[in-house]
Amino acid sequence: MKVLSPPPRLLMGPGPINCYPRVLAAMSTQLVGQYDPVMTGYMNEVMALYRQVFNTQNEHTVLIDGTSRAGIEAVLVSCIEPDDKVLVPIFGRFGYLLAEIAERAGADVQTIEVPWGEVFDPQQIEDAIKRVKPKVLAMVQGDTSTTMLQPLDEIGEICRRLDVLFYCDATASIGGNPLLTDEWQLDAVSVGLQKCLGGPSGSAPITLSPRYVDRVMKRHHIEAGIRDPHHQQARGSKIRSNYFDIPMILDYWGKERLNHHTEAATMLYCARECAINLLDEGPHRVIARHQTAGAAMLAGIQAMSLKPFGNIEHKMSNVVGVVIPDNVNGEAIRQELLLNFNIEIGTSFGPLKGKIWRIGTMGYNARQDTVLHTLQSLETVLRRAGFNLAEAGAGVDAAMHIYGGGE
Amino acid sequence: MKVLSPPPRLLMGPGPINCYPRVLAAMSTQLVGQYDPVMTGYMNEVMALYRQVFNTQNEHTVLIDGTSRAGIEAVLVSCIEPDDKVLVPIFGRFGYLLAEIAERAGADVQTIEVPWGEVFDPQQIEDAIKRVKPKVLAMVQGDTSTTMLQPLDEIGEICRRLDVLFYCDATASIGGNPLLTDEWQLDAVSVGLQKCLGGPSGSAPITLSPRYVDRVMKRHHIEAGIRDPHHQQARGSKIRSNYFDIPMILDYWGKERLNHHTEAATMLYCARECAINLLDEGPHRVIARHQTAGAAMLAGIQAMSLKPFGNIEHKMSNVVGVVIPDNVNGEAIRQELLLNFNIEIGTSFGPLKGKIWRIGTMGYNARQDTVLHTLQSLETVLRRAGFNLAEAGAGVDAAMHIYGGGE
């Protein structure tokens, strides 16, 4: 029981995926104190790094100490007052999650939906905003449950024009697909590290526009146990969560340096390394690498006469849904891949449970060798399970062709 | 900017402290998928390990993915319904935090207080419970702001007799002081890793009694995006937070394995290693090591003619408050220790800000060498700042005496 020695899995599901080696190494770095100038220096570096990752000038770009849904909840609970109208366009499981989190924060949540496997046209969003008149629009950029990527470039303009705060969860998409926070006029974005950024789950970078921050600072409070006589009076209704109270979190990350939580230093080291890794390689190159790996995986799947799920024109670069063929036991195939080939691919949720596999090519694993091994192994396992493949080796050959390996 | 290479600080404040080397090493372990049998196996191991750490048979012993205050908020928000009465006996800053978190969860919070530096007599708690008639009693075991350790052994019996749920935050005390969850009849306990358990902040182990679980399972829900037709109907009012919804978290850790967050695997590896480290050395031996280191530090401080803060009969083993002498600039001394000696000691909060230092001897740093270096360095820095010490070397000699080094 005692030795921590997990098998060397190749994680080709929808995330988490294998961490970059330098990210793993960073996490074994010894700590410094939370107000050590070295630590506050690292916090400032992380803010600067994630401004680049998010393509933003937003001063308020910090980490929430928790998994990606902690970032979602922090952004929503801090900007929602009870009975505020929140509009959530849903195109997969994570849209439901945003609606659920907003509802628990006390919002009057209205949703619109498209079938799983599709995305919204901006006009649908504009029409719904005009009808519902929400204070906040909350939607995901990439919903891993369906693999779809919602185009966002026109939606921010609609929100500004109609005076709606625009929040986006980009956990599944960031790093592997463009995300232009300022150009697209996003007011708040939250992500996680465990997809294309190549870290583990457990830290949620967020970026907040001045518009968002102005709104939440109207509910600024300081805890009783640390309040000094010189501190400003509290104002506005208290945010419903202490842990996710963004004005308090900004007081901790900002020049006030007021104690809130104790920053999870190891996960901060990790988040810092994930960002540096991305910026060192170059964000455009990383996206291109994901596009190539995703195209190779898609080509391989199709060449094996398997059918990708949904409207693949709107697929994220980093994950593909594969329709499980009739008469194939999807879970048995996954099990075989995992236990005999050390390769993990994903299952799915809700209406797609048991109907599609999800195969990711993310972060460190957006590589030629991982794509080739996965396709070969999937072919072997399907063949041995009696599934009639189009042609032996067709999948891996199609993927090599994308990588310039010719026929 | 890029190379992560913090200075080798010796962290002798109230936490975080230096991690055990094996804990650091565990955190650079590569990931497996969240439903990999290896991962769910590790989750089960963590549950079993923390039952031993908490001295409990509670089946429901899991991690909350966040810092220690995430554990506090999860326990409180899940068991509080709006307007429930919650009684919080306050003897320092963290009592205020519990009150604040309970209030934000919608509770009608009533508090009682003793002066900072003291603890409660069980009779005071019983009288207050009879007057307030709360559903929940929430208090900390050790409040690092004052260094005091609240005796808990009689309070659980009072709570059972008067039908009150008893929650305790033992973040600062666990590992270095006894904590007998079942024997003391605690219904819920939450902790963090960054004190005597010798890890970083970022994971909050909790343990929940069947009484607590029965109560929160009356508000059991399953997210819309993952709900199957065979799932039981939702019941009760929704808990105000999704992230901290303990019934959902138990569905993820339990045999249902329903997706909630993506478990922060690195922090789970870390929590696992912290527990194994404690159990390998032996919980009684670890407490004894903290008692010796704490006694040595206290003896050294007193021999240097410095005055410990508060009622030292009720001091935690692992931290001492030191009254900053008149005419001494406490922050300048701390700065000098940090920048020239690489040793961090702590400042304090609220009414004690600038009045006491807090010196910790926790986890990996509850050692003779760390105590001796800290006392010597403090002496040097005070001497050079013009403070008139009783006798050169008196502090380090007194500490060596505790360690059996004679005079």
Side-chain angles (χ1 to χ4, degrees):
Chain A
M1 165 164 174
K2 295 206 171 169
V3 176
L4 185 67
S5 182
R9 305 292 200 214
L10 178 62
L11 301 177
M12 302 298 283
I17 48 83
N18 299 93
C19 297
Y20 288 105
R22 67 186 282 177
V23 171
L24 290 178
M27 290 191 286
S28 63
T29 305
Q30 189 52 280
L31 308 188
V32 293
Q34 67 171 322
Y35 289 110
D36 192 309
V38 173
M39 180 68 181
T40 53
Y42 287 146
M43 291 171 79
N44 292 340
E45 284 180 14
V46 163
M47 293 174 78
L49 288 162
Y50 278 87
R51 286 185 198 110
Q52 294 181 69
V53 172
F54 282 118
N55 291 298
T56 184
Q57 304 291 325
N58 287 337
E59 181 189 342
H60 298 106
T61 303
V62 301
L63 305 179
I64 300 295
D65 285 9
T67 72
S68 44
R69 77 169 61 193
I72 297 171
E73 188 157 320
V75 169
L76 289 176
V77 77
S78 293
C79 78
I80 290 171
E81 293 194 80
D83 304 321
D84 277 356
K85 277 191 181 157
V86 174
L87 176 65
V88 184
I90 295 176
F91 60 101
R93 181 257 167 119
F94 290 96
Y96 283 104
L97 178 62
L98 300 193
E100 143 117 23
I101 291 173
E103 186 198 330
R104 291 191 190 220
D108 171 4
V109 175
Q110 308 284 324
T111 62
I112 55 175
E113 297 196 37
V114 288
W116 288 31
E118 298 293 335
V119 297
F120 288 91
D121 184 274
Q123 190 61 47
Q124 291 174 282
I125 310 270
E126 177 160 355
D127 292 347
I129 290 178
K130 286 177 172 165
R131 181 169 49 76
V132 172
K133 298 185 176 51
K135 289 203 175 163
V136 178
L137 176 75
M139 65 192 305
V140 302
Q141 182 183 24
D143 199 310
T144 37
S145 68
T146 69
T147 78
M148 293 297 110
L149 184 79
Q150 172 65 47
L152 298 176
D153 52 329
E154 296 178 41
I155 298 173
E157 182 278 322
I158 296 168
C159 287
R160 290 286 159 106
R161 179 157 42 82
L162 300 174
D163 196 24
V164 173
L165 214 60
F166 183 18
Y167 159 64
C168 177
D169 167 29
T171 300
S173 48
I174 195 163
N177 308 268
L179 174 71
L180 305 175
T181 299
D182 287 0
E183 190 175 321
W184 295 349
Q185 305 185 67
L186 306 175
D187 289 307
V189 185
S190 69
V191 301
L193 306 179
Q194 74 273 21
K195 313 276 185 178
C196 306
L197 296 178
S201 171
S203 178
I206 63 171
T207 187
L208 308 168
S209 72
R211 243 176 129 218
Y212 176 95
V213 173
D214 284 351
R215 183 183 169 95
V216 299
M217 289 306 279
K218 295 194 175 83
R219 299 168 77 189
H220 180 260
H221 292 79
I222 295 173
E223 277 173 34
I226 60 169
R227 202 179 296 138
D228 280 345
H230 80 270
H231 282 133
Q232 241 185 325
Q233 283 297 92
R235 47 185 191 259
S237 62
K238 276 196 182 169
I239 289 165
R240 273 193 175 186
S241 166
N242 168 286
Y243 193 68
F244 293 133
D245 182 309
I246 284 181
M248 283 185 172
I249 292 166
L250 297 181
D251 278 348
Y252 178 52
W253 280 79
K255 62 184 186 324
E256 301 78 8
R257 296 280 176 214
L258 287 182
N259 186 250
H260 180 253
H261 60 285
T262 298
E263 183 62 17
T266 300
M267 290 308 302
L268 180 131
Y269 291 168
C270 168
R272 179 181 177 278
E273 204 69 22
C274 287
I276 291 173
N277 188 76
L278 177 82
L279 299 170
D280 273 0
E281 183 176 349
H284 293 294
R285 276 197 210 97
V286 174
I287 289 172
R289 176 160 60 78
H290 279 85
Q291 287 169 337
T292 304
M297 186 65 82
L298 176 64
I301 289 296
Q302 290 175 314
M304 285 165 72
S305 71
L306 293 168
K307 190 175 166 305
F309 172 76
N311 182 350
I312 58 171
E313 279 179 42
H314 289 295
K315 194 180 81 56
M316 282 187 273
S317 71
N318 48 299
V319 60
V320 62
V322 180
V323 178
I324 300 171
D326 291 340
N327 305 321
V328 167
N329 179 337
E331 284 308 290
I333 300 293
R334 289 200 329 118
Q335 184 89 341
E336 181 72 7
L337 276 170
L338 185 74
L339 299 183
N340 283 321
F341 296 80
N342 259 340
I343 295 176
E344 180 182 87
I345 66 171
T347 179
S348 199
F349 299 112
L352 295 176
K353 194 171 168 181
K355 299 198 173 143
I356 69 169
W357 295 305
R358 293 177 299 154
I359 305 183
T361 41
M362 304 193 189
Y364 185 48
N365 290 349
R367 303 195 312 265
Q368 177 176 335
D369 61 312
T370 59
V371 171
L372 302 182
H373 287 299
T374 302
L375 289 167
Q376 288 176 163
S377 302
L378 181 61
E379 176 177 324
T380 300
V381 171
L382 283 171
R383 178 173 54 76
R384 292 169 60 92
F387 177 72
N388 203 5
L389 287 150
E391 188 187 344
V396 70
D397 285 352
M400 287 192 83
H401 183 68
I402 296 284
Y403 273 104
E407 294 297 314
Chain B
M1 163 166 176
K2 295 203 171 171
V3 176
L4 184 66
S5 182
R9 305 290 201 214
L10 178 62
L11 301 177
M12 302 297 284
I17 48 83
N18 298 93
C19 297
Y20 288 103
R22 68 187 281 178
V23 170
L24 291 178
M27 290 191 286
S28 63
T29 305
Q30 187 54 278
L31 309 188
V32 293
Q34 66 171 322
Y35 291 109
D36 193 309
V38 173
M39 181 67 182
T40 53
Y42 288 146
M43 291 171 79
N44 292 341
E45 284 180 13
V46 163
M47 293 174 78
L49 288 163
Y50 277 89
R51 285 184 200 113
Q52 294 182 69
V53 172
F54 282 119
N55 292 298
T56 185
Q57 305 290 327
N58 287 339
E59 180 189 344
H60 298 106
T61 302
V62 301
L63 305 178
I64 301 296
D65 285 8
T67 71
S68 44
R69 77 169 61 194
I72 298 171
E73 190 158 321
V75 170
L76 288 176
V77 79
S78 292
C79 77
I80 291 171
E81 293 196 80
D83 303 322
D84 278 355
K85 277 192 183 157
V86 175
L87 176 64
V88 184
I90 295 176
F91 59 102
R93 181 258 167 116
F94 290 97
Y96 283 104
L97 178 63
L98 300 192
E100 144 118 22
I101 290 172
E103 185 198 331
R104 291 191 190 219
D108 172 2
V109 176
Q110 308 284 323
T111 61
I112 54 174
E113 297 196 38
V114 288
W116 288 31
E118 298 292 335
V119 297
F120 288 91
D121 183 275
Q123 191 61 48
Q124 290 173 284
I125 311 267
E126 178 161 355
D127 292 347
I129 289 177
K130 286 178 171 165
R131 182 169 50 77
V132 172
K133 300 186 173 51
K135 290 205 175 160
V136 178
L137 176 75
M139 65 191 306
V140 302
Q141 182 183 26
D143 199 311
T144 38
S145 69
T146 69
T147 77
M148 293 297 108
L149 183 79
Q150 173 65 48
L152 297 176
D153 52 329
E154 296 179 41
I155 298 174
E157 182 278 321
I158 297 169
C159 288
R160 290 284 159 108
R161 178 157 41 83
L162 300 175
D163 196 24
V164 173
L165 214 61
F166 183 17
Y167 159 64
C168 177
D169 167 28
T171 300
S173 48
I174 195 164
N177 308 268
L179 175 71
L180 304 176
T181 298
D182 288 358
E183 190 176 321
W184 297 348
Q185 304 186 66
L186 306 175
D187 288 307
V189 184
S190 70
V191 302
L193 306 179
Q194 74 274 20
K195 311 277 186 181
C196 306
L197 296 177
S201 171
S203 178
I206 63 172
T207 189
L208 308 169
S209 73
R211 242 177 131 218
Y212 176 97
V213 173
D214 284 350
R215 183 183 169 93
V216 301
M217 289 306 280
K218 295 195 173 83
R219 300 167 77 190
H220 181 259
H221 291 80
I222 294 172
E223 278 173 35
I226 60 169
R227 202 180 297 139
D228 279 346
H230 79 272
H231 282 134
Q232 237 184 332
Q233 282 298 93
R235 47 184 191 258
S237 63
K238 276 195 182 168
I239 288 166
R240 274 194 175 185
S241 167
N242 170 285
Y243 193 69
F244 293 133
D245 183 307
I246 283 180
M248 284 185 172
I249 293 166
L250 297 182
D251 278 348
Y252 179 51
W253 281 78
K255 60 184 188 325
E256 302 79 7
R257 297 280 175 213
L258 286 183
N259 187 251
H260 180 252
H261 61 285
T262 299
E263 184 60 18
T266 300
M267 290 309 302
L268 180 129
Y269 291 167
C270 167
R272 180 181 177 280
E273 203 68 22
C274 287
I276 292 174
N277 188 76
L278 177 83
L279 299 170
D280 273 359
E281 184 176 347
H284 292 294
R285 276 197 210 96
V286 174
I287 290 173
R289 177 162 59 78
H290 279 85
Q291 287 169 337
T292 305
M297 186 64 83
L298 176 64
I301 290 295
Q302 291 177 314
M304 286 166 71
S305 70
L306 293 168
K307 189 175 167 304
F309 173 76
N311 182 350
I312 56 171
E313 280 179 42
H314 289 295
K315 195 180 81 56
M316 282 187 272
S317 73
N318 49 301
V319 59
V320 60
V322 179
V323 177
I324 300 171
D326 291 341
N327 305 318
V328 167
N329 179 337
E331 283 308 289
I333 300 293
R334 289 200 330 120
Q335 185 87 344
E336 180 72 7
L337 275 170
L338 185 74
L339 300 182
N340 283 321
F341 295 81
N342 259 339
I343 296 176
E344 181 182 86
I345 66 170
T347 179
S348 199
F349 298 111
L352 295 177
K353 194 172 167 182
K355 297 196 174 145
I356 67 168
W357 296 305
R358 291 177 301 155
I359 305 183
T361 41
M362 304 193 188
Y364 186 49
N365 290 350
R367 304 196 310 265
Q368 177 175 335
D369 61 311
T370 59
V371 171
L372 302 183
H373 286 300
T374 303
L375 287 167
Q376 288 175 166
S377 301
L378 182 60
E379 174 176 326
T380 300
V381 171
L382 282 170
R383 178 173 54 74
R384 291 170 59 92
F387 177 72
N388 204 5
L389 288 151
E391 190 188 342
V396 71
D397 286 352
M400 288 191 82
H401 182 69
I402 296 283
Y403 273 105
E407 293 296 317

